[in-house]
Amino acid sequence: MDNVGDNLRQMMDRNELNKRYQTLMNEVMNDPDVRRFLAENRSVLDDEAIQRSSSELYEYVQEKKKFQQKKGMLAPGYRPQLILNHKRVGVTYVPTPELLERQRENEIKSRIRSMDMPKDIRDVTLADIEITVERQEVLGKVFAFIEEYLEAPKKFHKGLYLEGPFGVGKTYLLGAIAHELAENGFVTTLMHFPSFAVEMKQSISQNTTGEKIDAVKRAPILMLDDIGADSMSSWIRDDVLGVILQYRMQEQLPTFFSSNFNMKQLEEEHLTVSQRGEDEPLKAKRIMERIRFLAEEVSMKGENRRHTE
Ligand code: ADP
Ligand code: MG
């Protein structure tokens, strides 16, 4: 008795399964994209081939649904697509334009080596910079630099020394220049100079000062942000900054600066006085000669654009 009951139940279960399978396959075969694909490839795909492809067709419809609902996809960013695969149906996954754009943007960002900079600095592009009357001069020089650099990247091009009060957008502009160069395949190192100076002091105990200076001085394009924001020891001035600038001058590598001080103030008020309070005007002059060789001073005016103070 029991046996008969079991068999009956198994048969009913199988029937139930069959019905469910039929419903699913009906849905699959009625999918407009599936129908179009099968119609277009009818000369290659006979009924048997279609039958043998049911799991691929099912996968396609399921993944398409997830793709449209943007949920639970096997491969996020990829759209399923039907293809012919040795007289059968296959499913392939093609990257969406959004994914390609995101990958391109990540590749660009990877060319901007930012050290101790605001985290969104790599997102700024030249298109984000408003062109105001006050900015015309500096933007003109920025565009000229980029044009000349892209034309002959091996030649020496003077960078810019952006000078101006807090919040006018100097750092932001450096980020935008780095982005434009990155879009064209060039790597820029953008670093907050005061933080780098602190890191250098710490590196002494780890014996890594030399290699750190080496990496920075050889950067194809270097941007030193906020130079002069913190007082500098003679060691940072002469043995770190001086060494980096000397190398870049010899190798003629593009170098940018940003500072709240103009060149004259930087020399007289910042670089001359050592932390011990001694006046070292000759050493300051030596550094300034290198900065002047590497970059052209441009002043940035305008309102303070920082909203959170
Ligand atoms: P600085 O380095 O001169 O002190 P920042 O570059 O840090 O100034 O700019 C301060 C803030 O102002 C930035 O965080 C940014 O949000 C905003 N900002 C700067 N320049 C622009 C610009 N051209 N367009 C829009 N916002 C800007
Ligand atoms: Mg800044």
Side-chain angles (χ1 to χ4, degrees):
M1 279 300 272
D2 260 345
N3 253 344
V4 175
D6 276 354
N7 283 341
L8 194 62
R9 196 158 51 239
Q10 273 176 11
M11 243 165 71
M12 280 170 68
D13 283 353
R14 217 172 297 136
N15 264 338
E16 190 53 34
L17 265 177
N18 268 336
K19 257 195 272 167
R20 286 228 307 266
Y21 178 76
Q22 273 316 320
T23 320
L24 276 176
M25 284 322 286
N26 282 344
E27 189 196 328
V28 168
M29 299 314 267
N30 279 324
D31 180 275
D33 290 322
V34 169
R35 287 173 75 142
R36 190 176 330 115
F37 180 82
L38 294 180
E40 278 166 9
N41 295 287
R42 199 60 186 152
S43 57
V44 193
L45 298 167
D46 55 18
D47 285 349
E48 203 211 322
I50 294 174
Q51 188 68 35
R52 274 192 285 121
S53 303
S54 43
S55 74
E56 283 82 3
L57 292 167
Y58 176 74
E59 174 186 334
Y60 170 74
V61 172
Q62 289 305 311
E63 288 305 315
K64 191 177 74 165
K65 225 186 275 173
K66 293 180 197 163
F67 177 77
Q68 285 162 348
Q69 291 167 356
K70 297 187 163 55
K71 224 169 51 197
M73 284 105 86
L74 275 177
Y78 291 84
R79 184 172 56 79
Q81 190 179 308
L82 292 170
I83 50 161
L84 270 189
N85 185 7
H86 302 293
K87 298 198 176 169
R88 271 181 69 158
V89 181
V91 188
T92 184
Y93 291 85
V94 287
T96 56
E98 296 80 41
L99 177 70
L100 293 176
E101 177 54 31
R102 212 161 48 233
Q103 285 172 340
R104 193 183 92 93
E105 190 54 39
N106 284 340
E107 204 182 307
I108 291 171
K109 282 193 197 170
S110 74
R111 299 196 191 102
I112 306 176
R113 311 270 150 82
S114 74
M115 294 160 73
D116 301 300
M117 299 294 292
K119 76 171 178 352
D120 51 0
I121 197 68
R122 299 189 306 165
D123 296 325
V124 188
T125 68
L126 278 178
D128 298 324
I129 307 288
E130 279 168 57
I131 304 185
T132 57
V133 179
E134 284 156 332
R135 291 218 166 114
Q136 264 172 10
E137 187 199 357
V138 64
L139 287 175
K141 291 185 199 273
V142 164
F143 285 114
F145 172 85
I146 290 168
E147 201 181 306
E148 286 159 24
Y149 185 78
L150 296 183
E151 209 161 278
K154 297 236 152 61
K155 272 210 201 137
F156 176 62
H157 302 281
K158 224 170 163 149
L160 298 173
Y161 178 106
L162 306 178
E163 167 267 310
F166 183 79
V168 282
K170 302 180 295 295
T171 301
Y172 203 81
L173 183 57
L174 288 181
I177 300 170
H179 200 280
E180 185 67 23
L181 293 165
E183 278 183 42
N184 287 283
F186 295 99
V187 174
T188 297
T189 301
L190 183 50
M191 66 181 202
H192 184 240
F193 189 75
S195 308
F196 176 68
V198 171
E199 198 184 310
M200 280 300 100
K201 275 181 233 154
Q202 290 166 350
S203 74
I204 300 173
S205 61
Q206 293 150 8
N207 251 329
T208 51
T209 317
E211 67 191 67
K212 285 196 161 127
I213 294 180
D214 259 21
V216 170
K217 75 180 188 189
R218 289 175 206 279
I221 302 159
L222 179 66
M223 298 179 167
L224 303 180
D225 189 37
D226 245 346
I227 195 161
D230 276 355
S231 64
M232 237 182 261
S233 66
S234 318
W235 178 69
I236 291 290
R237 181 192 60 199
D238 303 329
D239 298 326
V240 177
L241 182 61
V243 168
I244 291 171
L245 299 182
Q246 176 67 26
Y247 183 86
R248 302 191 69 79
M249 216 169 100
Q250 276 164 7
E251 300 298 316
Q252 308 211 325
L253 297 168
T255 311
F256 287 72
F257 303 84
S258 91
S259 182
N260 291 352
F261 297 104
N262 62 32
M263 285 189 176
K264 188 167 182 299
Q265 287 168 326
L266 186 75
E267 176 174 348
E268 292 170 2
E269 294 165 32
H270 195 78
L271 295 172
T272 299
V273 193
S274 78
Q275 270 179 334
R276 277 182 251 116
E278 298 154 20
D279 259 13
E280 298 178 321
L282 281 176
K283 294 200 163 163
K285 214 173 219 40
R286 280 249 298 279
I287 298 286
M288 275 327 289
E289 273 166 13
R290 294 171 193 167
I291 295 180
R292 285 203 174 89
F293 176 90
L294 290 165
E296 178 186 355
E297 181 174 25
V298 208
S299 53
M300 283 182 75
K301 298 179 200 77
E303 56 184 299
N304 182 350
R305 286 169 170 271
R306 287 190 205 209
H307 308 297
T308 49
E309 294 308 316

